[in-house]
Amino acid sequence: MSKAISYYDWQQSFRDKPKLDKEQSKVNSNSIGISENNFINFIKKWKELNLS
């Protein structure tokens, strides 16, 4: 016997999925959601402050 879907799930299946911003999709982002350049700059600054 298959599991019945909820009314909410059934209703959501008729809605359009949200589209990503064009600018956001062009930026190369890592797994935490920031651009690679911002991440590299942050790590460099952190190293200067904390490891020197």
Side-chain angles (χ1 to χ4, degrees):
M1 183 173 185
S2 64
K3 184 178 179 181
I5 62 171
S6 68
Y7 175 75
Y8 177 78
D9 292 335
W10 174 79
Q11 186 180 27
Q12 291 298 321
S13 67
F14 295 105
R15 294 187 181 208
D16 292 335
K17 299 194 188 277
K19 296 179 182 178
L20 294 176
D21 291 337
K22 290 181 182 179
E23 292 178 19
Q24 192 177 36
S25 63
K26 289 181 183 178
V27 175
N28 293 335
S29 60
N30 56 15
S31 61
I32 58 175
I34 61 174
S35 70
E36 292 292 328
N37 291 334
N38 287 342
F39 181 71
I40 291 170
N41 291 335
F42 175 79
I43 295 297
K44 286 179 182 178
K45 289 178 184 177
W46 183 88
K47 283 182 181 179
E48 290 175 4
L49 292 173
N50 296 307
L51 298 179
S52 54

